[in-house]
Amino acid sequence: MPELPEVEVVRRGLERWVSGRVVQTVEVRHPRAVRRHLAGPEGFAKALAGHRVGEARRRGKYLWLPLDDSPFSVLAHLGMSGQLLVQPQDAPDEKHLRIRICFEDGLGTELRFVDQRTFGGLSLHENTPDGLPDVIAHIARDPLDTLFDDAAFHTALRARRTTIKRALLDQSLISGVGNIYADEALWRSRLHYERPTGTFTRPRTAELLGHIRDVMNDALAAGGTSFDSLYVNVNGESGYFDRSLDAYGREGEPCRRCGTPMRRRAWMNRSSYFCPRCQRAPRLPA
DNA sequence: AAAACCTCCTGAAAGC
DNA sequence: TGCTTTCAGGAGGTTT
């Protein structure tokens, strides 16, 4: 389940192993992997060939590779199970290999997009004046972006008529936070996932943002969170932050602060993990 | 118009 | 034993 830290690990790998290389050929093995690309699989392959890959960039959970001397970028989203792997050309194809990108150099490696559940994909889009692929213009800056505006976030959060976890998962308000890091940051903040956004004071918002940043930086330092082989870096290696999780996936296990058994609640077609003692349910609205 | 809901997909694991 | 059901969930599109 790649969220901001996992995507950033992948971005760094692309920067190290792919940026600066010139695309030779592209093989799309599953059309769904390029469904966001309106010109189709053939158009996607043709548009990339011959272009040098620029500096790998990221906003929230989106990654993109600008093409030098071109107003276009290759946009990537890993979805639930997408992987961008730099593999030796002679390595056997992965079972869920969707796209192969080969380069015009003698390095002997190629870039592969592998995705079991096919929620992710690659596509080519024109950049906006600020260098962002046009289709992600609605994605908010993420909390590790130096230009993220804490005061504006607080104002926007207060204006919402919803609950805090829904707001954290809304990528147009704050990007990069998914189910795992939302639960972790809420646990660290001792906040219940259904606290109404309208009840947030400036200090409470500041504390929550601080915990979001802390948990993401901690995860980044550990190479991300891997529960299984579905999330790995470009070299196929797992992260080990899963062993540091305090909330996510810990149903029935003791809260690391107070020892109370953690709970899981079905919520929005997914799960929320929380401590019923540290994270008290908000008073129901009158 | 903003908020909530629906749906896409595969495979592991649980249920019967 | 083996088939069926459940679960994981990001985010665009649709509905309310």
Side-chain angles (χ1 to χ4, degrees), chain A residues 185-246:
Chain A
L186 290 169
W187 181 85
R188 290 186 180 206
S189 304
R190 305 179 192 232
L191 291 170
H192 192 275
Y193 61 99
E194 284 187 314
R195 170 169 287 279
T197 50
T199 67
F200 277 69
T201 58
R202 201 171 284 275
R204 208 185 276 280
T205 301
E207 190 189 344
L208 176 57
L209 280 174
H211 284 307
I212 291 171
R213 291 180 172 122
D214 286 349
V215 71
M216 285 183 165
N217 281 318
D218 291 350
L220 201 45
T225 300
S226 306
F227 297 109
D228 45 36
S229 57
L230 289 187
Y231 162 70
V232 293
N233 68 16
V234 298
N235 299 313
E237 301 153 342
S238 295
Y240 51 88
F241 192 68
D242 59 307
R243 65 191 71 168
S244 301
L245 295 174
D246 292 313

Side-chain angles (χ1 to χ4, degrees), chain A residues 9-222:
Chain A
V9 170
V10 172
R11 189 201 68 77
R12 292 176 184 181
L14 293 174
E15 186 68 33
R16 170 72 180 79
W17 301 104
V18 176
S19 291
R21 302 176 72 179
V22 177
V23 177
Q24 184 174 56
T25 57
V26 177
E27 178 190 355
V28 178
R29 301 178 44 122
H30 196 308
R32 191 172 148 78
V34 293
R35 65 193 179 286
R36 261 192 117 166
H37 188 80
L38 300 180
E42 298 79 10
F44 179 77
K46 194 169 290 183
L48 264 64
H51 283 282
R52 185 180 301 275
V53 175
E55 185 184 354
R57 300 189 56 189
R58 181 189 57 74
R59 174 175 284 192
K61 303 169 198 170
Y62 279 97
L63 283 172
W64 67 97
L65 298 168
L67 298 179
D68 288 355
D69 304 317
S70 156
F72 296 92
S73 291
V74 179
L75 181 67
H77 198 292
L78 303 178
M80 283 297 299
S81 55
Q83 305 175 338
L84 283 164
L85 304 174
V86 176
Q87 291 280 54
Q89 288 168 322
D90 57 5
D93 289 357
E94 292 76 9
K95 181 177 180 184
H96 302 293
L97 176 63
R98 309 305 189 190
I99 300 170
R100 184 201 317 276
I101 299 178
C102 301
F103 301 97
E104 290 179 2
D105 52 48
L107 296 178
T109 61
E110 58 190 34
L111 177 62
R112 299 180 181 182
F113 180 68
V114 176
D115 191 7
Q116 178 200 102
R117 295 179 201 168
T118 70
F119 278 19
L122 305 186
S123 49
L124 196 69
H125 304 281
E126 194 158 6
N127 304 317
T128 61
D130 46 333
L132 200 69
D134 53 15
V135 294
I136 62 164
H138 65 291
I139 301 293
R141 289 187 188 276
D142 62 65
L144 298 190
D145 186 328
T146 53
L147 294 179
F148 184 90
D149 186 335
D150 289 23
F153 172 74
H154 175 69
T155 304
L157 185 69
R158 295 256 329 172
R160 293 294 173 104
R161 289 295 170 262
T162 186
T163 48
I164 187 58
K165 190 168 168 183
R166 284 180 185 276
L168 291 180
L169 296 184
D170 182 342
Q171 306 296 300
S172 68
L173 185 63
I174 181 172
S175 69
V177 183
N179 203 40
I180 296 171
Y181 295 106
D183 280 3
E184 293 300 308
L186 290 169
W187 181 85
R188 290 186 180 206
S189 304
R190 305 179 192 232
L191 291 170
H192 192 275
Y193 61 99
E194 284 187 314
R195 170 169 287 279
T197 50
T199 67
F200 277 69
T201 58
R202 201 171 284 275
R204 208 185 276 280
T205 301
E207 190 189 344
L208 176 57
L209 280 174
H211 284 307
I212 291 171
R213 291 180 172 122
D214 286 349
V215 71
M216 285 183 165
N217 281 318
D218 291 350
L220 201 45

